[in-house]
């Protein structure tokens, strides 16, 4: 083998967990390998350790090198005991018998004056107020906080005992311990009327440990409990980065948000996609936010803010996680940003939500995305966005989708940060994409231009067209009246809308391939055409607006009668797409998914804009509450 050589190995995985056993041979070129999915955007491989002793623990086990292949015929029983495999596995499952007694000493050694922290939660079971006694010992200065309130001061060392009156409930307990000259002993026990019970501050898959540990720090390190009692922060110390870990050899806590790793407080949402960063959820968050504003539903707005804030709060952690482990466990697309799909949609929702919540994390992420679009994103010689994607199916192509993946973010970034260059660039992209993808005979857009063949595919996919006119309506809202490109963009918008109007189906919906009535009625493109028509009527952009108002209402009626049930389930949304030169791919291979995130938010947005159009037609001037425009 060659060092850093990449090999693609096709493998069929079953739904759920699959068993992987890798053998590597030491050669002059190196020893070992990296293993992952080629399409990490959508095929994220989480791994759990084998053997029942490590049930639920994430990561790989590695055996010590052996001279003879013991598994030439078959793999070991990875569901049995690791002892039966007959190999020496790392990391170790438990400390050796001669390890120090103190967790701090086992984890951090002994260095006089060094600080460490331990974090747990105490469940007080009394039905009323009760005295809870804390006692223990420390080989050096020791502090104890309960829910951020200092109970034992830093001057304390040796044995300690203190009583605190607490109500029934759960309390964060934080300990700061300092190493002695030749040992780092520490014990903390609690007892109280009605009973008390230690529990982990956050539920961790594969562990029953109740204490988390952090350190070692220099003796002059000072943190407040609120700064420490979180899992989204990396702590610097003597040139290295520290993170919470468990009292086990080479074992750290690692946040996940999906599959079996719903391992922290995010699970209280009851949704596996909560706090996930990807583009369909970006438009879903936008839909929820606008619906919450229109309906006066603060609970919807708070849900959106909470979802986005967790993503931004964990951004710095995710960067470190990627550097440490080779692939981030959260915010994968944001951290590994390489295309507009990874950033523009969710970034646009983030900027829209920033009108409700000022957050420095929002600014950091927005600036990262803007830098990617301005400085890194691939462009044609004329400045048009396209996809290089070397070696992939989409190599050297331009997608109509990317007008949505870029320009709504660019519009909001320009208005929020006063950078007109992003607004100018967004306007230019629409005019450039028109040159490549516009089908003038029908006044609609081809889905993709393939530069490998020097031609557009000529297939007008519904959602691809929806992204274009959806995004153009957002740009027109923000573009100044005296902008030099506004007349051309307004004319383009009217051309597109007239083309879509001519292709509306009998029940008000549009088709998956919009000029092919034999393809199925598709909900996400229908919602986006309704959205664009409604906005054009409300803002006065459309000629013969009465026709478009009628078409928007017919489209909304078609959605609510045929594609949305009384429980709010959304049907008829096309799954995520690749591209093809044939309509059969879009008609036969891209089937619909119930409650697909590509459509839920868009349907909500269509409903919002239909409501605003009705208000505008009644003579009331429409406004968009919270809009950056």
């Amino acid at each position: 083998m060659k060092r850093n050589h990449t090999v693609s190995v096709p493998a069929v995985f079953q739904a759920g967990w699959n068993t992987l056993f890798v053998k590597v041979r030491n050669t002059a070129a190196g020893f070992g390998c990296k293993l992952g999915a080629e399409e990490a955007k959508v095929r994220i491989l989480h791994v759990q350790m084998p053997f029942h002793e490590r049930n639920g623990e994430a990561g790989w086990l590695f055996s010590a090198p052996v001279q003879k292949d013991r598994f030439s015929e078959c793999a070991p029983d990875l569901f049995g005991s690791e002892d039966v495999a007959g190999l020496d596995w790392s990391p170790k499952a438990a400390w050796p018998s001669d390890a120090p007694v103190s967790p701090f000493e086992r984890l951090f050694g002994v260095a006089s004056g060094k600080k460490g922290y331990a974090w747990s939660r105490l469940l007080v079971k009394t039905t009323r107020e009760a005295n809870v006694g804390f006692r223990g010992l420390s080989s050096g200065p020791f502090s104890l906080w309960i829910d951020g309130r200092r109970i034992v001061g830093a001057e304390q060392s040796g044995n300690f005992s203190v009583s605190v009156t607490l109500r029934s409930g759960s309390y964060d307990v934080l300990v700061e311990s300092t190493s002695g000259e030749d040992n780092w002993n520490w014990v903390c026990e609690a007892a109280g009327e009605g009973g008390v019970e230690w529990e982990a501050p956050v539920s961790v898959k594969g562990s029953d440990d109740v204490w988390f540990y952090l350190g070692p720090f220099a003796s002059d390190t000072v943190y407040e409990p609120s700064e420490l009692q979180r899992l989204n922060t990396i702590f610097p110390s003597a040139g290295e980065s520290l993170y919470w870990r468990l009292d086990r050899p080479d074992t750290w806590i690692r946040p996940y948000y999906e599959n079996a790793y719903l391992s922290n407080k995010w699970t209280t949402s009851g949704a596996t996609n909560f706090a996930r960063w990807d583009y369909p959820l970006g438009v879903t968050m936008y839909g929820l936010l606008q619906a919450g504003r229109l309906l006066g539903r603060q609970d919807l707005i708070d849900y959106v803010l909470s979802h986005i804030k967790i993503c931004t709060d964990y951004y710095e952690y995710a960067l470190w996680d990627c550097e440490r482990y080779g692939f981030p466990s959260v915010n994968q697309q944001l951290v590994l940003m390489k295309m507009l799909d990874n950033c523009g949609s969710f970034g646009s929702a983030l900027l829209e939500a920033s009108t409700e919540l000022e957050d420095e994390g929002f600014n950091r992420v927005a600036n990262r995305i803007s830098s990617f679009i301005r400085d890194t994103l691939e462009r044609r010689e004329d400045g048009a966005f396209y996809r290089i994607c070397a070696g992939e199916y989409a190599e050297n192509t331009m997608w109509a989708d990317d007008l949505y993946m870029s320009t709504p973010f660019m519009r909001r970034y320009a208005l929020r940060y006063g950078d007109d260059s992003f607004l100018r660039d967004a306007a230019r992209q629409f005019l450039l994409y028109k040159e490549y993808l516009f089908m003038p005979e029908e006044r609609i857009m081809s889905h993709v231009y393939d530069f490998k063949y020097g031609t557009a595919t000529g297939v007008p996919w519904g959602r691809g067209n929806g992204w274009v006119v959806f995004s153009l309506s957002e740009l027109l809202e923000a573009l100044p009246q005296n902008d030099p490109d506004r007349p051309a963009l307004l004319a383009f918008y009217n051309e597109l809308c007239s083309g879509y109007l001519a292709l509306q189906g009998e029940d008000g919906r549009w088709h998956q391939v919009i000029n092919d009535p034999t393809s199925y009625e598709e909900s996400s493109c229908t919602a986006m055409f309704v959205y664009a028509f409604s906005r054009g009527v409300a803002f006065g952009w459309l000629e013969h607006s009465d026709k478009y108002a009628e078409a928007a209402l017919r489209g909304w009626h078609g959605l609510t009668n045929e594609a949305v049930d009384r429980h709010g389930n959304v049907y008829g949304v096309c799954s995520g797409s690749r591209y093809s030169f044939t309509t059969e791919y879009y008609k036969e291979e891209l089937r619909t998914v119930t409650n697909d995130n590509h459509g839920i938010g868009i349907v909500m947005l269509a409903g919002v804009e239909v409501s605003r159009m009705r208000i505008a037609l009644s003579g009331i001037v429409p406004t968009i509450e919270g809009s950056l425009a």
Side-chain angles (χ1 to χ4, degrees), residues 240-516:
E240 63 175 327
S241 299
L242 303 179
Y243 192 69
W244 290 102
R245 57 187 301 185
L246 299 179
D247 181 20
R248 304 184 192 182
D250 300 313
T251 303
W252 278 260
I253 297 165
R254 193 180 183 198
Y256 291 83
Y257 58 42
E258 60 187 357
N259 293 346
Y261 292 107
L262 284 170
S263 58
N264 57 31
K265 293 176 183 176
W266 301 349
T267 60
T268 60
S269 72
T272 58
N273 279 327
F274 189 64
R276 180 185 175 99
W277 176 288
D278 68 13
Y279 92 76
L281 279 172
V283 72
T284 303
M285 292 301 109
Y286 183 30
L288 279 168
L289 185 61
Q290 293 289 64
R293 289 167 172 170
L294 182 72
L295 299 173
R297 289 280 302 275
Q298 191 61 41
D299 58 329
L300 297 182
I301 295 171
D302 289 343
Y303 179 90
V304 172
L305 298 177
S306 178
H307 181 122
I308 295 174
K309 192 173 187 313
I310 288 178
C311 291
T312 56
D313 282 351
Y314 275 79
Y315 174 60
E316 299 295 338
Y317 168 81
L319 294 174
W320 175 83
D321 185 283
C322 183
E323 180 181 356
R324 177 177 175 83
Y325 297 106
F327 187 86
S329 62
V330 295
N331 286 349
Q332 287 95 352
Q333 293 187 47
L334 176 60
V335 171
L336 303 175
M337 193 185 304
K338 66 176 184 177
M339 61 191 303
L340 288 168
D341 270 16
N342 302 148
C343 59
S345 172
F346 206 104
S348 178
L350 177 151
L351 288 176
E352 185 67 27
S354 68
T355 61
E356 261 85 2
L357 178 66
E358 283 288 341
D359 188 276
E360 184 56 37
F362 285 25
N363 293 329
R364 285 196 303 270
V365 173
N367 288 329
R368 165 81 195 285
I369 296 171
S370 68
S371 176
F372 171 78
I373 291 175
R374 183 184 59 243
D375 304 325
T376 305
L377 182 64
E378 52 263 35
R379 297 173 182 250
R380 301 290 296 174
E381 293 83 355
D382 56 11
F385 301 145
Y386 81 119
R387 306 184 184 191
I388 294 179
C389 296
E392 299 180 17
Y393 77 95
E395 183 173 4
N396 206 9
T397 55
M398 171 187 286
W399 296 50
D401 315 40
D402 283 350
L403 286 174
Y404 167 72
M405 305 300 168
S406 57
T407 59
F409 171 85
M410 297 165 74
R411 167 246 205 219
R412 287 178 170 81
Y413 189 86
L415 295 173
R416 178 171 177 79
Y417 297 100
D419 190 338
D420 290 344
S421 67
F422 277 89
L423 206 58
R424 301 290 315 123
D425 195 10
R428 181 173 58 147
Q429 293 303 320
F430 279 97
L431 298 177
L432 289 169
Y433 270 57
K434 181 182 180 183
E435 295 179 14
Y436 290 100
L437 297 175
F438 189 54
M439 301 166 65
E441 297 82 7
E442 296 178 278
R443 292 158 294 165
I444 56 180
M445 300 285 277
S446 172
H447 181 205
V448 169
Y449 192 100
D450 195 325
F451 293 101
K452 297 188 293 297
Y453 305 105
T455 184
T457 61
V459 180
W461 179 43
R463 188 155 68 232
N465 276 265
W467 289 134
V468 175
V469 73
F470 176 104
S471 304
L472 183 51
S473 79
E474 294 226 323
L475 178 62
L476 286 171
E477 182 188 2
L479 206 62
Q481 292 294 324
N482 62 353
D483 186 274
D485 287 329
R486 186 176 180 86
L489 290 172
L490 193 57
F492 183 31
Y493 171 79
N494 274 270
E495 281 187 286
L496 288 172
C497 288
S498 66
Y500 302 141
L501 180 65
L503 295 170
Q504 187 172 23
E506 291 184 5
D507 72 355
R509 291 179 291 169
W510 279 262
H511 291 270
Q512 165 75 339
V513 179
I514 58 174
N515 63 356
D516 183 352

